[in-house]
Amino acid sequence: MKTRLSINGETHEIDADARTTLLDALRHHIGLTGTKKGCDHGQCGACTVIVDGRRVNSCLTLACMHDGAQITTVEGLGSPGALSPMQAAFLAQDGFQCGYCTPGQICSATAMLEEIRAGWPSHVSVDLEAPARLSVEEISERMSGNLCRCACYPNIVEAITRVGEAETVAEAAE
């Protein structure tokens, strides 16, 4: 099946079996290996990418379902010479050990901050009508779909907190 995918601002046409997951299309058909295959059951979050602004477990969705969608992988968030704020924060806060889950964590955290900015409540939001607040509880709940076997959670939460606070300060200055 021919599918046109817009990934990190570039269009890629693949000819793959209709059952090809987005994860396998990214890794095997396009050569973007930043997105990792962890459990292959949508339980670990290592394969998280951003599709049209929303977090998606790429192992649970078919590539052909995203024809024309805007897909962002960890490679599209920044580059070695120009890290995204979240990538830089993970590095500065030592938010990883083995690094296997890190691409999914960074994609998830980036999209999660957009959810908070948009006012989307979570399971732990106290007031569903009030703007969502950046807190350890909110971050932990919203990131609960991303597992880290090295248990770097405190550093991951700190990295997300720093980026979220910096964005809040920048918005207030505008």
Side-chain angles (χ1 to χ4, degrees):
M1 172 174 222
K2 290 196 184 294
T3 305
R4 179 175 288 188
L5 300 172
S6 177
I7 304 166
N8 303 328
E10 290 184 27
T11 301
H12 299 268
E13 282 202 22
I14 64 168
D15 190 5
D17 186 293
R19 298 168 293 181
T20 301
T21 64
L22 180 57
L23 172 61
D24 287 337
L26 291 169
R27 293 184 60 80
H28 303 298
H29 292 270
I30 298 167
L32 294 172
T33 57
T35 305
K36 303 299 185 217
K37 184 178 279 197
C39 66
D40 212 22
H41 296 286
Q43 297 174 344
C44 73
C47 67
T48 304
V49 297
I50 304 168
V51 178
D52 291 335
R54 305 215 40 191
R55 301 183 271 176
V56 171
N57 287 339
S58 62
C59 73
L60 292 181
T61 188
L62 301 175
C64 64
M65 295 170 59
H66 301 289
D67 193 277
Q70 299 298 312
I71 301 165
T72 305
T73 67
V74 70
E75 292 95 341
L77 293 175
S79 63
L83 298 177
S84 75
M86 192 64 71
Q87 290 169 321
F90 265 68
L91 187 59
Q93 297 307 137
D94 200 22
F96 55 90
Q97 266 185 29
C98 78
Y100 196 82
C101 72
T102 305
Q105 295 273 2
I106 290 172
C107 284
S108 189
T110 299
M112 182 216 57
L113 287 180
E114 290 298 321
E115 293 169 9
I116 289 176
R117 192 174 298 110
W120 296 2
S122 78
H123 181 70
V124 299
S125 297
V126 177
D127 184 348
L128 299 181
E129 300 298 322
R133 293 185 32 192
L134 187 66
S135 66
V136 170
E137 292 78 19
E138 281 288 344
I139 293 169
S140 296
E141 169 63 23
R142 291 171 189 262
M143 293 294 293
S144 64
N146 290 83
L147 303 179
C148 174
R149 291 186 175 113
C150 300
C152 291
Y153 297 114
N155 299 8
I156 291 168
V157 170
E158 184 61 27
I160 296 167
T161 300
R162 293 212 177 195
V163 172
E165 288 173 350
E167 289 176 357
T168 301
V169 168
E171 288 171 7
E174 291 177 355

